[in-house]
Amino acid sequence: MVKYIDRWFAFARQLELGIEQMEELILVTGCDRARSWTNVAFLKNQLEAQVSFGIEVTHGPEGRISWQVSPEQIRDAVFNQGPSGKVC
């Protein structure tokens, strides 16, 4: 990515994604093994966009992290959630 950062930056600017600085580009590689996952992408320049999460962390030998998202708490954003209990 470093070799082609100028091209990626120009591409993002051409798509009018609201990218103002190269530091806003994030390279994601590989595969993290997780039992479940959530991602959120906010749409363009929506100043009132929001997503609210509730998170619970259980400590111990079989520690666990659980979260909950209420669909009515998602505004001007795209929300995806992966399968629970499976490694992806």
Side-chain angles (χ1 to χ4, degrees), residues 2-47:
V2 174
K3 183 176 178 179
Y4 297 105
I5 187 70
D6 293 328
R7 291 181 186 180
W8 282 113
F9 184 60
F11 177 70
R13 299 277 307 214
Q14 182 181 8
L15 292 176
E16 299 179 3
L17 298 174
I19 303 293
E20 299 296 327
Q21 301 175 15
M22 286 185 191
E23 291 80 5
E24 295 176 271
L25 297 175
I26 300 171
L27 174 64
V28 179
T29 63
C31 175
D32 289 324
R33 300 177 76 67
R35 294 185 185 276
S36 58
W37 53 267
T38 298
N39 66 33
V40 177
F42 294 98
L43 306 173
K44 289 211 174 183
N45 296 320
Q46 301 294 328
L47 298 177

Side-chain angles (χ1 to χ4, degrees), residues 73-87:
Q73 295 296 324
I74 301 171
R75 186 171 52 215
D76 295 323
V78 177
F79 169 79
N80 287 305
Q81 192 168 18
S84 181
K86 296 181 182 176
V87 176

